[in-house]
């Protein structure tokens, strides 16, 4: 609030598609035309809000995703494959460096939208599984603070 930052939070596509009582899934299970369409529908209003803010002189600071999320994560790497030949959201202990690193489905869709509008938006990933106060979490908050800090004194909060 001190830095006068607004947050646009979109609904969680996993929750809106499958509810809270669901088993962990990998990106592979969500990477289908039906789930992608669901994500695009959920993003319609939030993305219109982004466009309206940009049109009125605001700046888009960052997209924040959750690490290890198959929908909003930024770096979805190689994951374990189970006996049904579907992936588990548990990372492989020693991933092959040649394996691709993909974004989560929702993050990928947003990245494509931003790219289509020539918007250079930093994507950041909260290490949600790390304890509060850990070095990784502290680094995330420090990096976010540097992105958020006003570049122009006129945008500073009155008590800053």
């Amino acid at each position: 609030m001190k830095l006068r930052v607004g947050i646009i939070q979109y609904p969680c596509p996993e929750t809106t598609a499958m509810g809270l009582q669901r088993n962990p899934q990998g990106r592979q299970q969500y990477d289908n035309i039906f789930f992608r369409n669901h994500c695009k529908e959920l993003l319609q209003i939030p993305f219109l809000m982004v466009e309206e803010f940009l049109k009125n002189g605001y700046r888009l600071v960052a997209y924040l995703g959750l690490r290890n999320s198959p929908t909003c994560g930024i770096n979805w790497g190689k994951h374990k494959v189970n006996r049904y030949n579907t992936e588990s959201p548990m990372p492989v202990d020693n991933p092959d460096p040649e394996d691709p690193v993909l974004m989560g489905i929702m993050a990928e869709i947003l990245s494509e939208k931003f790219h289509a509008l020539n918007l250079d938006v930093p994507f950041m990933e909260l290490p949600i599984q790390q304890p509060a106060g850990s070095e990784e979490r502290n680094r995330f908050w420090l990096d976010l603070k540097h992105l958020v800090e006003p570049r122009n004194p006129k945008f500073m909060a009155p008590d800053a």
Side-chain angles (χ1 to χ4, degrees), residues 119-154:
L119 292 174
D120 184 24
V121 180
F123 277 56
M124 296 180 63
E125 206 171 41
L126 176 64
I128 195 71
Q129 294 164 331
Q130 299 299 317
S134 68
E135 187 175 327
E136 274 190 275
R137 282 264 193 118
N138 290 341
R139 168 59 42 203
F140 170 84
W141 292 115
L142 186 61
D143 290 346
L144 180 59
K145 182 181 180 212
H146 290 302
L147 281 174
V148 169
E149 287 176 338
R151 298 178 188 167
N152 185 333
K154 80 174 188 170

Side-chain angles (χ1 to χ4, degrees), residues 1-4 20 27 33 45 49 59 71 80-82 96-97 113 116 135 137 146 159:
M1 295 305 290
K2 185 177 181 180
L3 295 176
R4 299 176 59 184
L20 291 174
R27 185 184 187 282
I33 191 72
I45 298 298
M49 291 173 67
R59 66 184 172 102
T71 55
K80 294 180 181 172
V81 175
N82 64 27
D96 184 335
K113 283 183 160 287
E135 187 175 327
R137 282 264 193 118
H146 290 302
D159 59 343

Side-chain angles (χ1 to χ4, degrees), residues 12-19 22 25 30 35 38 42 69-72:
C12 172
E14 294 171 50
T15 302
T16 56
M18 298 170 33
R22 62 183 186 274
Q25 306 257 353
Y30 291 117
F35 191 76
H38 178 65
L42 290 178
S69 168
T71 55
C72 65

Side-chain angles (χ1 to χ4, degrees), residues 3-138:
L3 295 176
R4 299 176 59 184
V5 173
I7 297 172
I8 299 172
Q9 181 174 343
Y10 57 77
C12 172
E14 294 171 50
T15 302
T16 56
M18 298 170 33
L20 291 174
Q21 299 296 320
R22 62 183 186 274
N23 289 323
Q25 306 257 353
R27 185 184 187 282
Q28 181 186 36
Q29 286 88 3
Y30 291 117
D31 194 6
N32 62 69
I33 191 72
F34 304 104
F35 191 76
R36 284 181 173 274
N37 189 56
H38 178 65
C39 291
K40 289 174 184 176
E41 287 176 8
L42 290 178
L43 284 171
Q44 286 180 0
I45 298 298
F47 205 79
L48 287 173
M49 291 173 67
V50 167
E51 289 183 279
E52 182 69 9
F53 279 112
L54 291 173
K55 182 177 131 186
N56 284 281
Y58 291 82
R59 66 184 172 102
L60 184 56
V61 175
Y63 165 82
L64 306 179
L66 297 177
R67 183 176 298 165
N68 209 37
S69 168
T71 55
C72 65
I74 310 305
N75 299 297
W76 184 265
K78 180 70 175 169
H79 289 69
K80 294 180 181 172
V81 175
N82 64 27
R83 65 181 182 201
Y84 304 107
N85 203 30
T86 59
E87 67 181 6
S88 162
M90 301 307 298
V92 169
D93 296 327
N94 297 306
D96 184 335
E98 298 297 314
D99 287 336
V101 175
L102 306 169
M103 287 184 168
I105 302 300
M106 183 76 98
E108 186 177 279
I109 291 167
L110 274 171
S111 177
E112 290 166 0
K113 283 183 160 287
F114 293 147
H115 182 72
L117 292 172
N118 293 320
L119 292 174
D120 184 24
V121 180
F123 277 56
M124 296 180 63
E125 206 171 41
L126 176 64
I128 195 71
Q129 294 164 331
Q130 299 299 317
S134 68
E135 187 175 327
E136 274 190 275
R137 282 264 193 118
N138 290 341

